[in-house]
Amino acid sequence: METTQTLQMRFVTQAGTRVTISLDNPRDDLTEAEVTAAMDQIIAKNIFSTSGGDLVAKDSAQIIDRTVNVIYEA
């Protein structure tokens, strides 16, 4: 059994669409304040280009836990 975590940060673009940036293996002690500050920095630095234009606002953030149970492996 393998368990992994992914931090998903969701943003709103200039066109009003949603874009998700995912990062594997976030720290276990990551706080809401740290995540929202990082999202603010991403928006302020304008370092990502999307088909919907610049990232203009934060939408949400979540940590996804994923567990894989291998049933068969050759």
Side-chain angles (χ1 to χ4, degrees):
M1 177 169 59
E2 178 185 343
T3 301
T4 60
Q5 287 189 321
T6 303
L7 169 63
Q8 291 186 338
M9 298 177 288
R10 194 168 180 200
F11 297 88
V12 179
T13 67
Q14 287 175 316
T17 58
R18 304 295 190 263
V19 170
T20 301
I21 296 173
S22 298
L23 300 171
D24 292 335
N25 303 316
R27 284 190 351 243
D28 289 335
D29 61 348
L30 199 58
T31 67
E32 178 182 343
E34 290 173 316
V35 172
T36 57
M39 293 175 79
D40 287 337
Q41 284 291 312
I42 290 169
I43 292 168
K45 299 288 185 183
N46 195 25
I47 55 177
F48 291 102
S49 176
T50 75
S51 59
D54 295 341
L55 304 179
V56 295
K58 298 181 296 266
D59 182 59
S60 62
Q62 59 190 3
I63 293 176
I64 306 295
D65 293 311
R66 181 172 178 256
T67 301
V68 177
N69 294 310
V70 177
I71 304 296
Y72 170 79
E73 188 170 45

